[in-house]
Amino acid sequence: MRIAVVGGTGYVGLTTAVCLATKNHLVHCVGRNEKKIEKLREGRPIIYEEGLEEMLKEVLKSGRFAPSTGLRNAVQNSEVIFICVGTPSRDDGSIDLSQIERASEQIGGALRAASNYQVVVMKSTVVPGTTEELVLPLLERFSGKNVGSDFGLCMNPEFLREGQAIEDFIHPKEQGIIIGEFDQRSGNVLAEIYREFEAEILRTSIPVAEMIKYARNAYLAKDVSFANEIANICQRLGVDYLAVKRGLEMDARIGEGRFLDAGAGFGGSCFPKDVKAIVAKVEECGFQPLMLRSTLKVNETQPIELVRLAKQVLSDLKGKRICVLGLAFKPGTDDVREASSIRVVESLLAEGCKVNVYDPKAEDNARKIFGERVEYAKGAKEALRDSDACIIVTEWPEFSNPQLYFAMRGKVIIDGRRSLNFKKLPHGFTYHAIGFPKAVKT
Ligand code: NAD
């Protein structure tokens, strides 16, 4: 099929565009930044995702992947148009739909000249009602056409996880595929694209598809905040959360939840923004979603727990040299949006610390947030050198090597992810972690 992906320079858009091109579709990958598009044409991915560079080179070579800023041409030459633009939070937590509005107007304008039936698919995460009440009227107004008879409309939420985005997109078996359809004809066209994907497909209405995305993210975010709250309780009562977690997972009613790890809290471009957006949306209706508000509240304070643990060991942080390992919101990505590292670093700076940071992939994005207020190291060893304490915020596998920590001066490690086996540390270290009963000396 001929496909246009609008928002093709973002995490979801680029993954969608490249993966669909590997499935033999002809994909126009549409962005609005000429420099980024130029990089894509040269085979240089503009985000970090495992395996993306190789796939990008392969699809460019095949001639099935065309990056461009020419939205009109791309839309007019496609049967299906995916909208993958950003839906960030506004200052009050509500969803900012300005990119969606602009993209809908532009796509509508381009549909005007088309003579064939085309289907527009909303892949961005949008609060229930957005696709039918905002996007649909804009498409109709700017195209002068009618949905249903002249063009189709679907909502197809994306569940890929950064760090394993390609694997999740190509093998969506665990999460399934949701097709919210305006009518059967629209849904049939989208279902054809997913025909050879091995996954259950649920076909439903557009608002249900929109809400499923929020319900899933709210459910998982709630699990993380639950785990963190229980770990914080354990810590104060002198109990080891890791052992408690094993007991939780033994219970079939709870199951082996992969979201029961306690740590520095959730970040990224989905959980925080999506929970805030659905809270703001439903509060407009006069309903107070108490559990979701608490989920956010626990998460806001969780990164500060790490700084509290550092203070517990060092008593005064002023003037101390603290190394922060990991800035991305999780391993495997360069994305720092709403990462726990931001709160940890800001809090350390407010305490008067000198902060050295290192992340294998996220330095460039972190520089946009911290500027020159922190020192950036080229490797973990360099970041740890002469530091009084180290806080592990993101569990990149390389940080679990105990040999790394020899370079430290102060030998205090605060493990925000329980990723380091403290029993393997050499003599003389003080180790503390979230949900750990008390600091231990090795
Ligand atoms: P992003 O900010 O990385 O990418 C959005 C891209 O759209 C940007 O590159 C922007 O330049 C481009 N864009 C905006 N308007 C455009 C226009 N008119 N024409 C062409 N390009 C345009 O965002 P993202 O992380 O890829 O997320 C996109 C959507 O997918 C959001 O709604 C998000 O909530 C959802 N989502 C994200 C993830 C994730 O892990 N990042 C997972 C599932 C769903």
Side-chain angles (χ1 to χ4, degrees):
M1 237 181 248
R2 285 171 295 130
I3 294 172
V5 176
V6 176
T9 45
Y11 284 84
V12 167
L14 185 56
T15 308
T16 303
V18 170
C19 290
L20 289 176
T22 65
K23 297 272 183 191
N24 286 325
H25 299 290
L26 177 61
V27 183
H28 296 274
C29 177
V30 185
R32 53 183 182 177
N33 179 326
E34 189 53 57
K35 273 194 192 141
K36 288 187 180 177
I37 289 296
E38 197 46 50
K39 277 190 182 169
L40 289 179
R41 282 195 197 108
E42 290 163 6
R44 291 190 285 153
I46 46 198
I47 55 167
Y48 175 73
E49 262 305 325
E50 178 90 42
L52 181 61
E53 188 162 358
E54 296 76 9
M55 275 176 97
L56 175 62
K57 291 202 160 91
E58 184 194 314
V59 292
L60 277 167
K61 212 163 127 195
S62 72
R64 291 192 305 271
F65 180 79
S68 91
T69 50
L71 183 143
R72 179 172 287 271
N73 180 54
V75 169
Q76 284 173 356
N77 286 298
S78 297
E79 292 145 272
V80 176
I81 300 111
F82 283 95
I83 302 180
C84 300
V85 302
T87 49
S89 295
R90 289 198 288 228
D91 287 346
D92 63 358
S94 63
I95 189 167
D96 176 351
L97 292 169
S98 53
Q99 291 183 43
I100 296 284
E101 271 179 55
R102 180 80 191 112
S104 306
E105 291 168 4
Q106 289 175 307
I107 295 167
L111 290 179
R112 185 174 278 275
S115 52
N116 55 330
Y117 175 84
Q118 293 166 289
V119 178
V120 178
V121 180
M122 171 62 72
K123 210 173 221 328
S124 301
T125 304
V126 289
V127 289
T130 307
T131 308
E132 288 183 344
E133 290 160 26
L134 177 75
V135 176
L136 188 160
L138 286 172
L139 290 173
E140 286 192 331
R141 176 142 63 93
F142 281 78
S143 65
K145 296 183 167 185
N146 294 319
V147 69
S149 49
D150 302 326
F151 68 92
L153 185 63
C154 288
M155 199 283 150
N156 172 220
E158 181 51 57
F159 302 111
L160 62 78
R161 292 161 289 185
E162 285 179 27
Q164 51 196 94
I166 289 171
E167 180 59 23
D168 279 351
F169 192 94
I170 299 225
H171 300 115
K173 198 171 177 181
E174 267 186 43
Q175 290 141 340
I177 293 165
I178 307 288
I179 296 182
E181 55 197 37
F182 176 80
D183 56 11
Q184 210 181 15
R185 188 180 178 197
S186 312
N188 286 348
V189 174
L190 184 56
E192 183 58 27
I193 292 184
Y194 289 121
R195 193 161 53 95
E196 58 174 276
F197 284 62
E198 256 181 64
E200 188 185 340
I201 296 183
L202 175 67
R203 289 177 67 163
T204 182
S205 71
I206 286 179
V208 168
E210 290 169 328
M211 189 62 208
I212 287 172
K213 174 69 188 174
Y214 285 97
R216 285 194 188 183
N217 276 357
Y219 184 94
L220 298 172
K222 168 269 298 167
D223 270 8
V224 177
S225 281
F226 168 82
N228 283 330
E229 184 136 300
I230 297 293
N232 293 342
I233 293 172
C234 285
Q235 189 137 49
R236 279 146 184 99
L237 301 183
V239 178
D240 184 1
Y241 173 70
L242 215 53
V244 171
K245 182 178 160 241
R246 267 181 237 125
L248 278 174
E249 288 172 344
M250 252 178 81
D251 185 328
R253 292 168 304 174
I254 300 173
E256 213 169 301
R258 274 163 296 175
F259 285 79
L260 288 177
D261 287 333
F266 56 79
S269 69
C270 289
F271 284 8
K273 133 180 128 58
D274 293 348
V275 179
K276 281 184 214 160
I278 199 70
V279 164
K281 181 73 185 168
V282 77
E283 281 181 351
E284 281 174 17
C285 312
F287 177 75
Q288 288 292 318
L290 299 178
M291 200 162 80
L292 297 190
R293 275 243 166 259
S294 304
T295 297
L296 291 170
K297 193 83 202 138
V298 171
N299 198 57
E300 259 166 44
T301 47
Q302 195 61 19
I304 309 303
E305 274 290 298
L306 295 175
V307 180
R308 190 185 68 82
L309 294 184
K311 258 182 166 171
Q312 224 178 51
V313 180
L314 294 168
S315 53
D316 188 11
L317 292 180
K318 196 166 184 334
K320 296 279 191 315
R321 198 172 180 85
I322 312 287
C323 165
V324 172
L325 289 184
L327 301 167
F329 84 93
K330 67 187 218 179
T333 179
D334 60 351
D335 197 345
V336 296
R337 288 177 285 185
E338 304 240 17
S340 304
S341 64
I342 300 172
R343 281 219 168 79
V344 172
V345 169
E346 293 296 356
S347 166
L348 291 171
L349 291 172
E351 294 280 347
C353 302
K354 293 190 180 72
V355 183
N356 303 348
V357 299
Y358 169 66
D359 187 286
K361 298 291 174 197
E363 182 184 324
D364 288 351
N365 286 333
R367 275 184 187 275
K368 294 175 201 154
I369 295 169
F370 305 127
E372 297 308 315
R373 293 181 297 145
V374 300
E375 276 180 35
Y376 302 88
K378 287 288 159 232
K381 261 194 188 157
E382 186 190 318
L384 286 160
R385 191 162 300 128
D386 297 331
S387 57
D388 295 299
C390 150
I391 302 183
I392 304 172
V393 181
T394 316
E395 66 278 34
W396 286 96
E398 64 181 271
F399 302 155
S400 59
N401 173 11
Q403 304 300 322
L404 272 183
Y405 298 86
F406 277 108
M408 292 178 70
R409 179 172 59 199
K411 311 232 180 300
V412 173
I413 299 176
I414 310 295
D415 188 350
R417 302 287 177 184
R418 293 295 281 266
S419 56
L420 188 61
N421 183 351
F422 69 92
K423 290 181 184 146
K424 290 196 175 156
L425 283 169
H427 179 71
F429 277 84
T430 303
Y431 175 89
H432 210 354
I434 295 282
F436 204 56
K438 59 179 191 309
V440 287
K441 290 211 181 295
T442 62

